[in-house]
Amino acid sequence: MITTRNFALTKEEIQQFHSQGYLGPYAAMSPEEMSAFRERIERDVLTTEGPNKRNRSQCRHLDSPVVYELSSLPAIVDRMRSLYGNDLILWASYFFTKEPGGVEIPWHQDMNYWPLEPVVNISSWMAIDEVTTENSCVRIIPGSHKKVVPHVKSPAGMAFSEMVDMNYVDTSKAINMELRPGEFFLFNEKTLHQSEPNRSNNRRMGLSMRVTLPFVKIEHDISPLFPGHAAVLLSGEDKLGFNRLVLPPVA
């Protein structure tokens, strides 16, 4: 059951995040509770247009109460506060959905793609469906966040046009982030991650949410964002006013 208890991290968990670049998995809710959210997502979100008319999977926390509700769960936000402080800005969310046969997302560091200055971010990746090695769970390399890795053009057939130069990557330490519905993990902007093609007969859907701090400038209107993009104050205050903020949607 979803609770209102405090989910602040322990000293050991904070140390792990800084040394390994990730934390989790944690349970934000039970698979049974996620089933009700999944129905709402399939009915009210995936079938409707969002703020980015070119991509209905992007930034639905801006217009969908169910997506904002998932993005602002205390199980996620309290842990982010433990790492980055009370003032948090939710600037992006995305449904990473792979149907059977969905292609590989190559090894990459998120900071390579993002219009942030400086690039400071913490992400949550939450399982909407059951997420396994068979249907393309995220794979991460612990400790890979300690350096910036060059990116190059991806070969044909990849989901992203750029990927890390594999000459700089040791995948022998990669771990599989298998998740039950309602579980999530946290990682930062430099943690190397990837997902294989979906070789199963089951869809794999996850919701990512991207959170930064008020001193970071978001280039709202340029790729991979969109004209009219805005962010939401997730926690605390924004005393700097660098970014375009809007109120979250209400049911």
Side-chain angles (χ1 to χ4, degrees):
M1 182 176 181
I2 303 172
T3 70
T4 57
R5 71 179 180 87
N6 186 277
F7 295 92
L9 296 173
T10 65
K11 180 180 178 181
E12 291 72 25
E13 287 173 310
I14 293 171
Q15 290 174 339
Q16 179 189 330
F17 184 82
H18 290 307
S19 67
Q20 300 296 306
Y22 81 99
L23 281 175
Y26 298 107
M29 66 184 72
S30 70
E32 293 73 25
E33 289 168 318
M34 178 53 78
S35 178
F37 278 96
R38 186 187 305 113
E39 291 179 7
R40 293 168 65 190
I41 290 166
E42 292 174 339
R43 182 187 68 235
D44 302 331
V45 182
L46 300 182
T47 61
T48 61
E49 296 298 329
N52 182 355
K53 304 308 178 186
R54 300 188 301 266
N55 190 337
R56 63 180 54 175
S57 293
Q58 187 181 26
C59 287
R60 297 306 301 268
H61 67 280
L62 291 173
D63 74 301
S64 168
V66 64
V67 178
Y68 183 74
E69 184 177 352
L70 287 174
S71 300
S72 58
L73 288 170
I76 300 174
V77 178
D78 286 354
R79 290 179 168 99
M80 290 183 170
R81 286 193 191 104
S82 295
L83 295 164
Y84 285 73
N86 192 50
D87 301 335
L88 301 173
I89 292 175
L90 173 61
W91 68 275
S93 62
Y94 199 88
F95 284 101
F96 281 100
T97 304
K98 280 194 187 182
E99 300 292 345
V103 300
E104 176 182 349
I105 293 179
W107 286 104
H108 65 282
Q109 292 176 313
D110 284 339
M111 67 176 298
N112 181 66
Y113 311 102
W114 288 344
L116 304 179
E117 179 56 44
V119 185
V120 176
N121 181 86
I122 181 169
S123 293
S124 166
W125 201 103
M126 177 185 288
I128 308 301
D129 298 326
E130 188 84 16
V131 176
T132 66
T133 55
E134 287 75 22
N135 72 351
S136 185
C137 68
V138 177
R139 303 171 68 214
I140 66 172
I141 300 178
S144 57
H145 65 300
K146 296 179 181 179
K147 62 181 180 180
V148 177
V149 182
H151 283 61
V152 296
K153 184 177 180 180
S154 299
M158 295 281 194
F160 293 178
S161 61
E162 292 185 350
M163 60 179 286
V164 296
D165 184 337
M166 296 304 293
N167 292 315
Y168 293 83
V169 178
D170 177 8
T171 61
S172 66
K173 298 180 181 179
I175 63 173
N176 297 316
M177 295 301 295
E178 294 189 294
L179 304 170
R180 301 182 73 201
E183 291 186 334
F184 68 96
F185 67 98
L186 303 174
F187 60 105
N188 81 6
E189 70 280 349
K190 293 195 289 292
T191 305
L192 281 165
H193 57 292
Q194 173 258 14
S195 62
E196 295 288 320
N198 185 351
R199 301 184 177 95
S200 77
N201 294 319
N202 300 314
R203 182 188 71 181
R204 183 224 69 178
M205 186 195 304
L207 173 64
S208 70
M209 53 173 288
R210 318 294 194 180
V211 174
T212 191
L213 303 175
F215 72 82
V216 173
K217 179 69 176 72
I218 305 165
E219 298 293 341
H220 291 284
D221 298 322
I222 66 173
S223 180
L225 300 179
F226 50 90
H229 173 271
V232 173
L233 185 63
L234 187 64
S235 173
E237 299 179 84
D238 175 14
K239 297 179 180 179
L240 299 177
F242 291 157
N243 297 303
R244 184 188 302 152
L245 299 181
V246 296
L247 294 174
V250 295

